[in-house]
Every structure is written in C-alpha cells, then in structure tokens.
Amino acid sequence: MTSRVPPSSAESPEAPSAPTRSSSENPARALADYVLGLGDDALVAAQRMGEWIAKAPQIEEDVALGNIALDLLGQARSLLTYAGSLLDPPRSEDDLAYLREAGDFRCVHLVERPGGDFGVAVARLLILSAYHCELYAALSASRDGTLAGIAAKAVKEVDYHRDHATLWTLRLGDGTNESHTRMQAALAAEWPYVEELFDGSHLDPALVQRGVAVDPATLRTAFYRRVSQVVDQATLVLPGTVPAEGGGRCGRHTEHLESLLADLQGLTRAHPGATW
Amino acid sequence: MYGNDFASPSDAPSASPEPVEPGLEDFWRIVGEDGRIEPRDAMPEDYRSSLVRQIAQHAHSEIIGMQPEGEWISRAPSLRRKAILMAKVQDEAGHGLYLYAAAETLGVDRAELLDMLHTGRQKYSSIFNYPTLTWADIGTIGWLVDGAAIVNQVPLCRCSYGPYARAMVRVCKEESFHQRQGFEALYTLSHGTPQQHEMAQDAVDRWWWPSLMMFGPHDSGPHATAGHTAKSMAWGVKRFSNDDLRQRFVDMTVPQAEALGLTLPDPDLRWNESRGHYDFGEIDFNELFEVIKGNGPCNAERMANRRRAHEEGAWVREAATAYAEKTAARRTAGAA
C-alpha cells in the first residue's frame, strides 16, 4: 500500500480560491465557481454511491446503483472539465478532483453525508435526483452552450435516478412495518439538508440575469410538489425538521468531506506528477 | 471473471462411462452433433446437477469477484480510471445475473444458490481470495485474471447447454474489454515513474502463479481422469483440458509481458522450439487446495462481506416482496 501524504504536502497546482461577490468583475471566474458547485455535487455524490457497489441488498441493485454512480461521475467529469477550462491557468478534471483541499470544494452537505442503511441511500437519492431533474431541465436552456449541452444529456440520466428512487421510496414506505419505520427515519435524517440546495446567496446575480445560471430558489416549488407526491403515496410524511446551517457552496463543509477526500485523493497525492 | 470448475481431490467424483439410458437418445444425438441442449430437453440427471454446480460456481465467482476490485473504486487515481473500474465491477454484477438466470433454467432458484454460497456448500473461484494490495493489482487482475478467464470461457460459448453458451457469448465480449483495459492500465504504470513500475512488477509477481492455478489441477497425461474433466468433455460442456487451456494462456501472455516491460516470476519459463510452446515451472497445487479449503488470505473476509451485504439487505428484499403483494392485491380488488 502506498503511504498517504497529508494534502498540504502534495505538489498541487494552485487551487481556485473561494468565490466572492466581486467575481462579477470576472465573468469567467464567476461561471467557473458556479460550475464547480454543480460538478462537486456530482463528484461527491458519485463517490458515496460507489460505496454501495458489491454491498447492495440484491444484485440488481449493485447494477442499478453502479449505473447511477457512473452517471453522476460522468456529469462530474464534464462539469469539472468545463470549470477547469474557465480558470486561469486552466485546470484538468483531475487537478480539481484530486488536488483541492476540502475548503475549496463547493458541494452541498447532503452529498457529503456518510453511508447509512439502504433507506438513507434511497432518501438521499430521492432528494438529489428530484433537485437535479429541475436543475438540469432549467439549465438545458442556458445561454451558455456548453452548460446547456451538459445539462441536456444529464437530464435524461437524472430522470432515471428519480424514477429509481421513487420506486424504492414506495416499496420501503409501503412495504413492511420495519421498512416504513426505517424509510421515515431516513427521510427525517436527510431532510435538514434539503434547503441548502435552493440557497442561491453564493451565486453571482449577473449569471442569472444573463440567462447562464439557474437561480436555485426557482426550483424549490416544483421540487417540493414532486417529492411530497411520492412521500404521500409511500404512506410517509414530510419531516418538519429545521434546516441545517449549510455553507457548502462557500467552502464550509461537514467533517465527513475531509475523510471522503482522504480516501479519494490519497493515492494520487502520494505520487505527485505521475500519470495513471 | 471466472469460477474455476474443479474440486479439491478429496471431493472430486470419478468419471465413469455413460450408458445410454432410455429416453436420452436425443440428448446424446444432439451432443454428438455439437448441437445445443435446451431447458425443456431430456438430459441425464448428473448433466443437470453438474451444470447447476458449474454455472452457480461461476455466478458466485462474479459476485465475490466484485469485492477485491470494488475496494479500489473510491481510491482510483484518476476520474477516468474510476469510471472504468466502476463500469467493470458493475459488469461483473451483470455477469452474475446472467449466470444465475442460466442456472435457474435448470430448475433451481437464485435464493437457493446464494444460500449454498453463504453456507459454504458451493464454492467460488480461488483467485478472489487473494488481496488487492496496491492500485497495480487492479490492472494486473484485468490483464491476467480476466485474460485467464477469457481462455477458459471462450470454449464455453460452444458448450452443449444453450443458456450457458449464450450467456458466455456476452460475458466474453465484456471480459475481453476488461482485459484490454487492464493491460493498458498496467502499461501506463510500467512506463510511468520508477515507483509505479515497481508497483506494477510487484503486482504481477503476486498474481502470476494464482492466475495459472485458475485453470485447475493437472487433468491430462497421467492425470487424465482427474476431477470433472472426462465426464464434462463427454457431455460437450468442457472442450479442452485444464492443462491445454493453461498452456494456451501462458503462450498468449508471455509476449504481452514483454510488451509491458514486465517480467514473469518463473525462472523456468522459456520457449521450447520442439514443442512450439513455452515451458514453465511447477505449480504449487498445495497452495491452490489450501485456498479452496478456505485457508487463503482473504476467504473469511470475502465470505463475511458477502453474508453481511445479504443479511443487511434482508429487510429491503422483504419490503419489496410485501409491496409487490400489496399492489397485486389492490389491483385485484380494483378489478373486482
């Protein structure tokens, strides 16, 4: 086994610093920050989903969750490649995935949260995919052609993710007493992390005005309508929990991101400059 | 990947000439004409039970085989390699599904077969009881283990049992992709930094002999009646002996190792002009039999992980069954 090198000692290219409101003076940088947020959500969610492969409740789910993880990873690669091309100097997808510190990631807390049982995985996927469906549908009309293209491909994928999460929410919610209890507990555990998805306070308003980015707040109504239908049908109730603090888009993360990145980045950082 | 179809000497049945039982004339005619036996055709009971054992063992190997590589998905050193590895492990789950489905055509069900795996009554390939210590093991498994699997499996595409043969056609296409990806990953390491080259050589040193063992014990020459080989050949399931397949693998692999810039850990490995094949050293079959008996480096861990996934998923499968019953009952009530 190669030894792990602490992130600070790796020879990394200069990581993009935290976004600021003044980024509207630098439109490429503002767009890069926005795309990084989307790419980091997909990357970290893919990493978590990948943990299920070879551990799922049945083989069909190893295949399905593997497929979802691959879709998310593919979205992450497109988004990070695009974000990296907007930076000065440009960064590759691997520079961004492997050589940034946790504080430079822009993902939401929902995707960072650790394992849990299959109900938790389903609850998280239901939330993420319902958000992704609205997001990518809106973003496929972006004035930025690259972003619109990535979103148009992704929207077909996340529609399948939502379908898969919906079917499992129904089975678990309306299955046995045990599965109902577990699914309700999973929803309660993940629900505080929903609101952060719709927080656009980090976003440069000029990007929204120019029709490049989507203000996430505009996705909230459709998201809640869709998810509450599924939750109702599954004989579950929407939890009335207080939203968690959030802050992922500004680089304030849960403690779980650091350990996820140690695992993801360790080998690459132990061999600075190597190609794989 | 592949499950080796052989047993340790203590539980190997002896081959016996097959008398043609009444009602099996068509079976022997079809086998003799190199045709395909289909699920509804009459077949000897030991043909059926032997195929169930072989196909199930093959399916179990695909499922257990997800573990050693799955360990590296989270740590893959580039996003491209991560995507390739995820897709590969996912393919293995898919192979498991085709194979369990093929076994089910012989009158068993998947739950029963999984139970046999979890209770140790059926086996999986010994190769998956070795650890994946570094990233180079991932490329090496693709190159050597999938390479050996292809040599074993290509003849199975012509095996006499139709559903197994057809499953193998698809499996082989995907395995061949995995083998090329493994070779390419290993080539990159071998031609990378000195540390990467060393990592690649170390992995090849560890996986070479276990890969040769994947073909099973000797079953040709003085060992011609060992294990399942003779019967399996008479039935048109097995086409070549373990030793012939192993030789084919060695002959194919030596030039590939040269192209990789890596050496194979066998001082006796050399081209034999008169045979037209590579000679190679003696395989330590005691190691193989120990691993099959459960004494390999990772047997306990692989089985514990497999059982844990199954047990932790029980409530999910029960919920799916309960929901399916409820929705069927509602549909019936709605139609009434």
Side-chain angles (χ1 to χ4, degrees), chain A residues 31-120:
Chain A
L31 179 57
D33 286 333
Y34 175 64
V35 180
L36 268 181
L38 307 182
D40 287 347
D41 281 353
L43 175 64
V44 175
Q47 181 81 356
R48 282 288 183 230
M49 193 57 87
E51 292 170 4
W52 276 99
I53 302 173
K55 299 186 182 73
Q58 55 191 32
I59 306 165
E60 285 82 353
E61 275 314 288
D62 283 308
V63 176
L65 299 181
N67 207 49
I68 291 170
L70 271 169
D71 286 344
L72 289 167
L73 183 58
Q75 291 159 21
R77 294 184 65 190
S78 301
L79 289 162
L80 292 180
T81 299
Y82 184 41
S85 74
L86 298 164
L87 293 168
D88 182 24
R91 308 275 195 279
S92 70
E93 57 173 9
D94 287 335
D95 290 342
L96 292 172
Y98 289 91
L99 301 177
R100 278 182 302 157
E101 310 297 317
D104 297 320
F105 274 73
R106 294 289 169 267
C107 49
V108 291
H109 291 190
L110 177 77
V111 296
E112 300 169 11
R113 290 171 48 72
D117 69 10
F118 186 71
V120 167

Side-chain angles (χ1 to χ4, degrees), chain B residues 268-285:
Chain B
D268 298 325
L269 188 67
R270 64 179 59 84
W271 179 251
N272 182 326
E273 193 64 52
S274 62
R275 288 204 310 128
H277 293 290
Y278 283 94
D279 289 337
F280 53 97
E282 201 48 49
I283 296 167
D284 178 8
F285 284 113

Side-chain angles (χ1 to χ4, degrees), chain A residues 258-270:
Chain A
E258 187 72 42
S259 55
L260 178 142
L261 292 178
D263 198 36
L264 188 150
Q265 299 178 335
L267 171 61
T268 311
R269 285 180 177 243

